[in-house]
Amino acid sequence: MRRIGKRDIVAAILIALFTGAAFTCPPFQRLQGLSLDILTALRWTMFGDHRDPATSPVVVVAIDGETYETPPFKGSPTQTWTREIGRVLGSIAEGGAKVIGFDVIFPSSIEQSEIPFGDVSFGSRVRGFDRDYLIALRKLSDSGKLVLGEILSNDHPDRPDRAQQLAVKNNIRALNVHTDPDNVIRRMPLSFSIEGQPMPAMAVELAARSLGVKPEAGPTGITSLSGYAVPGAVPNTLTLNFRGMGHDVPAYSFADLRACAEKGDIDFFRRAFDGKIVLLGSILNFEDRKLTSMHLGRGYDGGPAARCALPAPASAAKQARSAVAGVFVHATAVRNLLEHDAVTELTFSLRTILTIVFAAIIAAAACLLAPTGAAITWLGLAVAYAAVAVGTFAHAIALPLTEPVLAGLTALAMMIGYRFVIADREERFLRKSFAFYLAPEVIDGMVASGKMPVLGGEMRNITMFFSDLSGFSSIAEKMTPAELVALMNDYLSAMTDIIESHGGYVDKYIGDSIVAMFGAPAVDPDHAQHAVAAALQCRDRLDELNDSHPAFRGRGLAHRIGLNSGEAVVGNIGSRRRFNYTVMSDTVNLASRLEGANKYFGTVIMASEATVNQSRSAYVWRELDMVRVQGRDEPIRVYEPLAEKSQQTQEQGIRAATYAKALACWRARDFAKAAELFESAGGDDPPCRYFAKRARIMATNPPAADWTPVNTLEGK
């Protein structure tokens, strides 16, 4: 997590304000509708609709494909259907329907036909054909149970013919819908102004008559119906709640009802229509199809309805479609009004605030985290927010969905761009400038604090690692400069990779020597154990290079490694103009002396007692000797790591035990016994051969009585 400053905070705020305001402004108004579409589809997918269509207060009588294929309607123009429509309407009213609304318009009558028929028009020949139909309309209209539909338009209005208008008087209401710019119906108008007077829309009129009340318009312009204040983000509209995706409204085939009326089964009409609002409309594949909020989740042309007289056709099963019959838009509006279930959308100001807050959270994440982490945060927050939005939509409250998510994504991209171009430019400069001179942890701290490194240090318990190639000068004399540089680069790279893989930090290179520390800059409680592991792996790695690497093969390179643990000052040390992150203390000097002491014993790795004590449990050690190195008066015990405890061989165990017995004899002045034991374990073990030689000399020329078993090393 990166450190942020005031400039980053200001940038995040400005980006959140910009993206939040941009995605809720009028040019992006379609996103509001898209949110409704997505929420409708997700709610249907996650929760479905457990309501029984039979409990719906509104039903549809469908002039469907079955009707067009059933006699007497098959092959006849719709103008000739009026008598049958009147008969079915009468049966529906007798069955107890509260009110019937027409979502179909018959703009002309067969009685008005001008087609020549002999010496007169066909209309004259069939004068009075619509009498029964008009009587049925008049009867239902007078009882307040019928409302015809019309389409209001300045250019091409669509109204029932004059005879129907006279029959129903003023019981005609508009069927116009509210279409968004993307040609999707998500809202329904509540009223229209006709000759300066507000007139309820069809759905409002049907709901009002069903409840026995009149709609009221409050001083704020909100329409109320029987105490229900109809919510609407767009003035004078109802936001449709397609909770059942059209499947919650039963659809009765007009052909079946006509046959039922002819059969005289009035009980069926009572079971189907008693107390219901009935909408007569067409359900055809080629006529009056509407795109609604259901188009992503795909809606249905009604739910299952009981049959009365005719068998259900093979194609009766309802299929999900992106566009549904228009009559179900009105049916949904009526049901929303009766059940107080219209969608409540947030106001523009609340949508903007919510979008800005979402964008601000993502901008803050993009400011604090790496781009991948910020992208994961955006994805996780988007999924969580979508789940919350779907949950609230189940209660008919629509939170904006696409606006916050897209604003957050844009804020993420803008914040990453800001960091790349402006904010992180200085950090990249610092990292690039100091990458070859300071430890990565030091650079991280410098970037986090926003301050340049300064002189100073602190006491740390660390383990120092010194290594040097033995006899390298004589080897270098036989190589060209190019070969020497290539060899050194390969060697130092291999050793450095091992040291850093174990948490060590390479302080410096001195020719072919490596100076490294464990436990700083990064704090490491197990620094001694990790240093020993790195030393053992470096030993094995050089053996591999000597066997397999072309530049090393045949040169017999060998190195010595010294390890020592203790307190040391670590930090930025140097002049005020130039300094390095390094270490200073006697701990460092002793590690250097132990590296050189390896040449006396023929060992590769030598560690002090302090290092052994801090890592004893992980490795098998053997004590080599007690030595006094140059520059120190106090003798110290020195050890050689043989292997990890889990990897110790039987031969190593026997040799270590024999060496320990021989060393005890040596310290007890039993030099002959010591020489015998050292020689028995000598073989290819340089420390045993070294001690065996010394013990034979001591056995031949015993030391003075005040002799102490301390090996004083003369060289470095």
Side-chain angles (χ1 to χ4, degrees):
M1 186 175 293
R2 66 187 288 270
R3 175 183 175 273
I4 61 173
K6 292 182 179 179
R7 184 176 62 180
D8 297 330
I9 295 174
V10 171
I13 292 174
L14 292 177
I15 288 174
L17 289 173
F18 171 77
T19 54
F23 279 94
T24 54
C25 66
F28 288 92
Q29 188 176 3
R30 293 189 179 187
L31 294 178
Q32 184 180 359
L34 183 59
S35 293
L36 288 173
D37 303 343
I38 295 174
L39 288 172
T40 300
L42 290 177
R43 181 182 62 185
W44 176 252
T45 301
M46 295 173 64
F47 303 116
D49 183 23
H50 302 291
R51 299 175 300 175
D52 184 358
T55 63
S56 172
V58 57
V59 299
V60 168
V61 173
I63 299 175
D64 53 8
E66 179 186 356
T67 303
Y68 276 87
E69 295 298 324
T70 303
F73 308 109
K74 185 175 182 180
S76 62
T78 55
Q79 289 93 335
T80 64
W81 296 9
T82 53
R83 290 180 178 178
E84 304 301 333
I85 293 174
R87 183 188 301 180
V88 172
L89 290 179
S91 298
I92 291 173
E94 189 177 352
K98 286 187 175 182
V99 62
I100 303 170
F102 270 43
D103 186 45
V104 291
I105 300 173
F106 296 101
S108 62
S109 168
I110 195 171
E111 296 182 20
Q112 299 169 346
S113 175
E114 299 294 334
I115 299 175
F117 193 84
D119 55 350
V120 294
S121 66
F122 182 76
S124 300
R125 292 281 187 176
V126 294
R127 191 73 66 193
F129 184 86
D130 288 339
R131 182 179 296 111
D132 293 342
Y133 172 62
L134 295 174
I135 291 173
L137 294 184
R138 180 62 176 268
K139 182 179 178 181
L140 291 172
S141 176
D142 289 346
S143 64
K145 289 191 173 185
L146 179 68
V147 182
L148 297 185
E150 66 173 341
I151 301 297
L152 300 178
S153 173
N154 293 329
D155 300 324
H156 303 287
D158 196 4
R159 306 197 75 196
D161 70 16
R162 183 63 179 168
Q164 295 177 58
Q165 295 179 37
L166 293 174
V168 300
K169 301 179 181 177
N170 66 338
N171 288 317
I172 302 176
R173 297 295 181 264
L175 295 168
N176 298 65
V177 296
H178 183 282
T179 305
D180 286 342
D182 55 357
N183 294 319
V184 176
I185 299 171
R186 302 182 179 95
R187 300 169 185 86
M188 284 290 286
L190 297 174
S191 64
F192 300 91
S193 178
I194 298 178
E195 297 180 356
Q197 296 297 320
M199 188 67 67
M202 172 65 80
V204 177
E205 183 69 24
L206 294 177
R209 293 197 184 191
S210 172
L211 297 170
V213 298
K214 290 188 176 182
E216 299 176 354
T220 59
I222 297 177
T223 300
S224 297
L225 189 65
S226 188
Y228 173 52
V230 182
V234 178
N236 192 38
T237 65
L238 170 150
T239 304
L240 293 163
N241 188 2
F242 294 98
R243 189 178 295 276
M245 304 293 278
H247 200 264
D248 55 332
V249 178
Y252 295 88
S253 173
F254 182 79
D256 183 59
L257 294 180
R258 181 261 175 193
C260 191
E262 191 173 60
K263 190 172 67 170
D265 191 352
I266 192 62
D267 289 337
F268 177 85
F269 283 93
R270 289 195 181 99
R271 292 194 302 270
F273 302 108
D274 186 30
K276 304 288 188 180
I277 297 174
V278 181
L279 273 164
L280 177 66
S282 64
I283 302 180
L284 301 170
N285 294 330
F286 53 85
E287 182 180 301
D288 195 30
R289 308 299 299 186
K290 307 292 186 185
L291 282 178
T292 66
S293 299
M294 300 184 283
H295 71 98
L296 295 181
R298 302 174 71 84
Y300 294 86
D301 286 336
R307 304 283 295 190
C308 175
L310 300 179
S315 60
K318 300 292 193 296
Q319 301 294 325
R321 300 165 178 256
S322 57
V324 297
V327 66
F328 291 102
V329 177
H330 297 283
T332 299
V334 172
R335 186 163 190 179
N336 290 166
L337 289 168
L338 294 178
E339 297 179 345
H340 301 180
D341 197 33
V343 172
T344 299
E345 297 181 82
L346 299 189
T347 62
F348 172 77
S349 57
L350 287 178
R351 285 191 296 109
T352 302
I353 291 172
L354 188 58
T355 303
I356 290 174
V357 169
F358 191 99
I361 294 173
I362 299 303
C367 189
L368 289 168
L369 305 175
T372 302
I376 293 173
T377 301
W378 169 80
L379 181 60
L381 186 61
V383 171
Y385 177 76
V388 171
V390 174
T392 59
F393 195 63
H395 296 87
I397 299 174
L399 298 179
L401 182 59
T402 53
E403 302 98 305
V405 171
L406 292 178
L409 182 60
T410 304
L412 172 66
M414 292 180 67
M415 200 66 204
I416 292 175
Y418 157 79
R419 284 182 55 180
F420 182 80
V421 175
I422 299 175
D424 291 352
R425 182 175 56 187
E426 295 178 1
E427 177 181 336
R428 292 195 301 272
F429 173 76
L430 289 175
R431 291 188 181 277
K432 184 176 180 180
S433 299
F434 292 98
F436 297 104
Y437 308 103
L438 297 178
E441 292 81 1
V442 176
I443 298 175
D444 291 340
M446 181 174 62
V447 170
S449 65
K451 298 178 181 179
M452 298 293 287
V454 295
L455 292 174
E458 59 176 327
M459 291 297 295
R460 288 272 194 94
N461 188 277
I462 63 169
T463 297
M464 288 302 301
F465 176 110
F466 265 82
S467 74
D468 185 38
L469 285 173
S470 58
F472 183 70
S473 297
S474 59
I475 296 175
E477 291 175 355
K478 303 173 184 177
M479 303 175 66
T480 66
E483 291 175 335
L484 179 62
V485 170
L487 178 69
M488 286 307 305
N489 286 341
D490 289 340
Y491 167 74
L492 295 175
S493 295
M495 300 303 114
T496 300
D497 289 344
I498 293 172
I499 292 169
E500 291 182 345
S501 70
H502 289 278
Y505 165 63
V506 174
D507 179 11
K508 60 178 70 73
Y509 302 111
I510 306 173
D512 58 294
S513 300
I514 300 174
V515 181
M517 67 182 88
F518 291 78
V523 176
D524 180 8
D526 299 320
H527 54 81
Q529 181 177 330
H530 293 152
V532 176
L536 290 171
Q537 191 173 346
C538 285
R539 178 195 66 187
D540 297 339
R541 179 60 177 149
L542 183 57
D543 290 341
E544 294 174 2
L545 291 173
N546 283 329
D547 292 338
S548 61
H549 198 289
F552 290 77
R553 191 177 295 117
R555 301 190 185 278
L557 287 181
H559 57 186
R560 301 182 298 264
I561 299 172
L563 303 173
N564 183 37
S565 302
E567 298 293 322
V569 177
V570 294
N572 297 314
I573 300 172
S575 71
R576 291 182 178 83
R577 293 179 56 192
R578 185 171 181 177
F579 49 82
N580 290 321
Y581 186 88
T582 187
V583 57
M584 295 180 67
S585 81
D586 185 58
T587 300
V588 182
N589 297 331
L590 180 55
S592 174
R593 295 294 184 265
L594 295 182
E595 175 272 311
N598 279 291
K599 60 187 174 186
Y600 291 95
F601 294 87
T603 51
V604 176
I605 305 171
M606 185 179 292
S608 67
E609 189 172 14
T611 299
V612 174
N613 289 337
Q614 294 191 43
S615 61
R616 183 183 297 275
S617 61
Y619 301 97
V620 178
W621 296 89
R622 70 169 169 181
E623 182 183 353
L624 291 173
D625 198 0
M626 182 176 288
V627 301
R628 182 182 291 110
V629 298
Q630 190 174 20
R632 289 176 63 96
D633 296 328
E634 184 181 352
I636 61 169
R637 295 180 187 272
V638 292
Y639 297 79
E640 178 189 22
L642 299 179
E644 293 184 23
K645 275 197 172 181
S646 60
Q647 299 178 357
Q648 180 186 11
T649 63
Q650 184 177 6
E651 181 184 355
Q652 288 174 331
I654 295 173
R655 180 175 292 175
T658 303
Y659 192 96
K661 291 178 183 178
L663 187 61
C665 292
W666 166 269
R667 289 171 175 170
R669 300 177 65 98
D670 189 353
F671 300 116
K673 181 64 174 176
E676 180 182 340
L677 289 172
F678 280 128
E679 287 171 349
S680 67
D684 60 348
D685 185 47
C688 285
R689 294 199 303 270
Y690 170 67
F691 251 110
K693 181 179 179 180
R694 292 175 63 200
R696 287 297 178 193
I697 294 173
M698 288 293 196
T700 305
N701 300 299
D706 61 350
W707 174 82
T708 57
V710 175
N711 188 4
T712 300
L713 305 179
E714 300 298 333
K716 295 184 179 182

